[in-house]
Amino acid sequence: MRPPRFYVTTPIYYVNGVPHLGHAYCTIVADVLAGYHRMLGIPTHFVTGTDEHGQKAQLAAEARGIPTQQLVDEYSQVFRDLAARLQVKHDDFIRTTEPRHKHVVARVLDALWKKGDIYLQDYEGWYCVSCERFWNDSEVEAAGGKCPDQPQLHEVQRLREPNYWFRMSKYADELRRRIEADEFRILPEKRKNEILGYIKQGVGDLCISRDRSRMSWGVPLPFDEKYVCYVWVDALFNYETAIGYLADEKLHAKWWPADLHLVGKDILTPHCVYWPTMLLAVGEPLPHRVLGHGWLLDSQGLKVSKSKKPGEADVALPQPKIDSLLAVLGVDVTRWFLATAMKYGDDATIDWDMVLSRVNAELANGLGNSVNRVARMAQQFSGGEFAGLGHAGPKEEKLRDAAHAVVAAVGAVPSTLDVIAVTQAVRAAVDAVSLYLDDEKPWKAAKDPVNLPRVGQVLAWSAETLRLAGTALAPIMRGKTDALRAAFGVRGPLDWSRESKFGFLETGHALGEPPGLFPRIDAAQIPTT
Ligand code: MSP
C-alpha cells in the first residue's frame, strides 16, 4: 500500500464575476483540510484555480466590450487575490486558459476520438448558459420549463445542431459498480444515493462540443476545428493537468489519484458521472472521494451568490459579504466562521446575527476569555510560571480526557474530514476548564498563601488543557493560534507531534501575558450597506 498522502482540490471558479462567500467557503474548507493533513505530517498537495472557457466568460466580455482574454485575466487575478487575503496556502493555482492545460485537453480528446469513444450526431435539447449544462426534455419539463438546477433564476434555451458526443453510457455500469463498492466514494451518504439514483435512471452520452460560429471561447477539438470543447469536459481535466498529467510522470505518479474533490452539491453530477467516466475512458484511476457540500443561503433562502441587492428586500441588516466579514472579523475569525459554517450534508442560512452570536459565544466569551483568565492568574499567583501538573485527581483526569479528545478529533480528520468535530472538541475542552476553575476558584484560594501550591497546580492543568486545545485550531487560524501559544510561552514553528502531548509544558516554563485574543464584536461594527 502506498503511504498516506493528500491531494485535495476545490472546483475551479468561473471568472465572469467577482468571488462571493460560496467560493470563499469551499476554498477555506479545502485549505483547512490541507492544513490538518500537513500538521499531521501527511504529504499534501492543494490545488485551486479558475475555469475560464465557455459561453459565460465570452458573454461577460462582450457585455463589457473587451477581449475575452482580458476579462478572464482580470477576474482570475481577483480570485487569486482573494485566496491571498484569506491566507490560503495552495500549492498550485491553475487556469484553464494556460497552455499546459489546453495541451492536456487536446491530447485527451484526440485519444478518445481515436479510440472511438467520441462520435458525431445531431443534438436537439436544452442548454442553460448560467450552469453551462445541457438538460433533457424530462428534466426541463419537471422544472416547469426552467433550468432544473436554479428554476427561479435561470432560463434554458433550445438548441439544435450537429455535435460531438462522448460515449458516457459505455462506462455507466462500471461506474455504478465502483460507487456501490465504495471504490469511488461520494460523500455524504445521501449524495451517493442521489448519484446512484441518477445512474439507475439511465446514463446517456455526453455532448462535448460547441459550434465555434456561436461560441468560440474554448479549446478547439483537435479532429474538427469548427468546434470547441464543452467547458465542463475541459474544466474537469484541470485536476489532472495541475499535477503534470501527460507532462511530468513523476509528479503525476506522486499525486494521482486525487484523494478529495471538494465540490458544491450543484456540481455533483459532472464530478460523479462525467468525470469518472472520462477517466475510465482514458484509463486513469478514479479519485478516492468527492465531497458534495451544501450551500450558504441568504435570509431569503437563496444561494449567497444570488442575493438581491440592498433595497430589493426587507432585511434588517445587509447580508454578510466576504469584504465585510474580513473588515469586521479579521482574517482568522473569518476563516473560523466559514470553516465551521455548515455540516457537510446541509445548507446554512447566514446572517450577521448568527455571525455575532457565534463569534461572541464561542470565541470571545469561550476560548479567548478562558485563555486570558488563566494567563492573567498565572502572572498574579504563579509568578508567570508553569507550576507543574503534579498528581492528577478525578477532576484533572477530566481535563486530560478533554484534551485527548481534541487530539483524537484532529487525528480523525484524514478519514472523517470533519473540521467541525475538532472545533466542538476544543469547545468542550474550554468548557471543562471553565467548570474546573469555577469549582476550584483559584482567585479566592490564592488569598491564603498556604493554598498557593494548589493554585499553581490548578492553573497549570487549566493552561495545559487550553494550550493543547487552542493549538489544534492552527490550520483554521494560524495568527490567533500563534498568539495563544505565545501566551503559554510556546514560540516558533508548530510541531504537532510534540505539542499534542498533554504535559508538553515543563515545570518552571515561563508563560506569556494575557493575549486579548478575540475582542467581542458589537452590532454597531456591522456595516449598514
Ligand atoms: N466552474 C465550475 C466548476 C468546475 S470544476 C471542474 C463552477 N464554478 S462556480 O464558480 O459557479 O462555482 C464554484 C463552486 O462554488 C461550486 O462548488 C458551487 O457549489 C460553489 N458555490 C456557489 N455558490 C455557493 C453557495 N452559496 N454556497 C456554497 N457554495 C456555493 O461551478
Side-chain angles (χ1 to χ4, degrees):
M1 242 188 48
R2 67 194 277 189
R5 46 115 191 91
F6 188 59
Y7 172 30
V8 59
T9 64
T10 70
I12 47 172
Y13 303 111
Y14 287 132
V15 286
N16 56 317
V18 291
H20 52 71
L21 271 186
H23 298 134
Y25 168 78
C26 196
T27 303
I28 291 294
V29 172
D31 186 57
V32 165
L33 288 172
Y36 276 110
H37 283 77
R38 289 189 196 108
M39 188 162 102
L40 289 165
I42 298 171
T44 294
H45 197 68
F46 166 29
V47 173
T48 185
T50 41
D51 186 356
E52 305 187 4
H53 288 128
Q55 201 156 358
K56 278 201 217 208
Q58 185 172 323
L59 290 176
E62 279 165 14
R64 279 184 50 194
I66 56 172
T68 314
Q69 188 64 52
Q70 185 185 332
L71 178 113
V72 301
D73 286 350
E74 254 177 44
Y75 280 121
S76 179
Q77 190 57 44
V78 179
F79 276 89
R80 209 189 272 268
D81 291 346
L82 176 66
R85 288 166 68 207
L86 292 170
Q87 295 182 358
V88 165
K89 282 190 178 168
H90 47 73
D91 297 288
D92 200 346
F93 187 99
I94 185 162
R95 301 182 54 189
T96 53
T97 51
E98 287 174 74
R100 61 169 171 161
H101 180 66
K102 290 194 276 193
H103 171 75
V104 165
V105 175
R107 289 264 310 262
V108 164
L109 290 169
D110 193 46
L112 293 179
W113 172 246
K114 289 189 175 130
K115 193 180 170 198
D117 274 354
I118 291 178
Y119 63 92
L120 184 68
Q121 199 180 63
D122 261 2
Y123 171 77
E124 179 168 3
W126 300 100
Y127 187 69
C128 172
V129 175
S130 296
C131 299
E132 306 267 18
R133 284 270 283 277
F134 292 103
W135 301 100
N136 63 32
D137 288 344
S138 55
E139 287 168 325
V140 170
E141 201 181 304
K146 306 277 177 157
C147 165
D149 187 50
Q150 292 276 293
Q152 321 95 300
L153 296 157
H154 301 165
E155 300 291 337
V156 284
Q157 50 178 264
R158 192 81 185 158
L159 285 184
R160 190 198 175 118
E161 59 187 26
N163 264 308
Y164 286 91
W165 297 76
F166 164 55
R167 288 189 203 283
M168 191 157 75
S169 55
K170 179 174 157 188
Y171 298 98
D173 281 345
E174 178 59 11
L175 174 63
R176 198 190 59 212
R177 192 192 68 69
R178 303 254 190 139
I179 295 173
E180 280 169 350
D182 272 341
E183 286 173 33
F184 173 57
R185 295 187 64 198
I186 302 171
L187 301 165
E189 191 73 11
K190 69 174 174 187
R191 304 271 179 244
K192 169 179 164 181
N193 295 333
E194 275 167 32
I195 291 295
L196 282 173
Y198 177 94
I199 295 173
K200 279 174 192 151
Q201 278 177 16
V203 172
D205 290 344
L206 181 69
C207 182
I208 58 143
S209 60
R210 315 294 298 131
D211 191 318
R212 220 173 172 171
S213 62
R214 210 156 28 80
M215 213 292 290
S216 58
W217 190 245
V219 181
L221 296 190
F223 40 85
D224 188 344
E225 299 256 323
K226 290 197 299 301
Y227 292 87
V228 294
C229 177
Y230 171 41
V231 64
W232 265 105
V233 173
D234 157 2
L236 288 161
F237 270 93
N238 91 84
Y239 302 132
E240 283 275 23
T241 307
I243 47 149
Y245 181 52
L246 303 176
D248 182 342
E249 242 174 71
K250 219 168 133 208
L251 185 70
H252 184 249
K254 182 168 178 196
W255 298 114
W256 194 260
D259 292 274
L260 179 66
H261 293 317
L262 200 61
V263 303
K265 62 181 179 180
D266 48 323
I267 55 171
L268 214 60
T269 311
H271 282 87
C272 297
V273 182
Y274 307 175
W275 181 224
T277 50
M278 289 193 285
L279 288 169
L280 289 170
V282 296
E284 278 289 289
L286 303 191
H288 292 309
R289 293 175 286 189
V290 176
L291 175 69
H293 63 74
W295 289 340
L296 296 175
L297 303 175
D298 65 13
S299 40
Q300 276 97 55
L302 289 172
K303 277 168 89 178
V304 287
S305 50
K306 312 293 175 195
S307 288
K308 293 181 180 157
K309 309 231 164 10
E312 285 182 65
D314 284 325
V315 281
L317 286 170
Q319 270 303 123
K321 300 261 165 44
I322 191 64
D323 287 343
S324 52
L325 279 182
L326 281 169
V328 174
L329 306 180
V331 63
D332 276 6
V333 178
T334 300
R335 286 173 59 97
W336 170 86
F337 178 76
L338 286 175
T340 56
M342 53 187 166
K343 288 212 162 57
Y344 290 133
D346 305 340
D347 293 340
T349 302
I350 109 155
D351 57 42
W352 276 109
D353 286 338
M354 180 236 240
V355 175
L356 250 64
S357 67
R358 283 201 51 211
V359 170
N360 287 338
E362 293 177 45
L363 296 182
N365 298 346
L367 178 62
N369 185 39
S370 298
V371 171
N372 275 340
R373 274 171 89 195
V374 170
R376 196 173 52 239
M377 286 192 280
Q379 294 296 335
Q380 272 178 332
F381 309 135
S382 312
E385 275 187 7
F386 186 76
L389 296 173
H391 171 72
K395 291 189 215 168
E396 286 76 22
E397 292 292 356
K398 276 197 185 147
L399 294 187
R400 187 164 25 211
D401 288 349
H404 283 164
V406 173
V407 178
V410 170
V413 167
S415 58
T416 61
L417 306 173
D418 195 349
V419 173
I420 293 181
V422 176
T423 59
Q424 281 169 342
V426 170
R427 214 177 154 185
V430 171
D431 289 347
V433 170
S434 289
L435 280 177
Y436 181 62
L437 290 172
D438 288 350
D439 192 37
E440 292 284 337
K441 300 190 178 43
W443 57 92
K444 265 195 182 161
K447 288 184 180 146
D448 185 344
V450 95
N451 294 328
L452 283 179
R454 173 65 187 160
V455 167
Q457 192 195 10
V458 166
L459 294 176
W461 277 89
S462 305
E464 184 56 352
T465 307
L466 292 173
R467 177 201 64 76
L468 197 154
T471 304
L473 297 176
I476 304 177
M477 30 186 174
R478 277 183 281 273
K480 296 288 181 188
T481 307
D482 280 347
L484 179 144
R485 288 165 70 238
F488 297 115
V490 185
R491 291 185 180 78
L494 196 161
D495 178 350
W496 182 245
S497 65
R498 293 176 59 232
E499 293 178 42
S500 60
K501 302 271 178 301
F502 198 92
F504 169 74
L505 289 186
E506 281 164 16
T507 307
H509 179 95
L511 302 176
E513 293 295 319
L517 284 175
F518 304 107
R520 275 185 68 83
I521 312 281
D522 191 89
Q525 288 170 259
I526 298 169
T528 48
T529 54

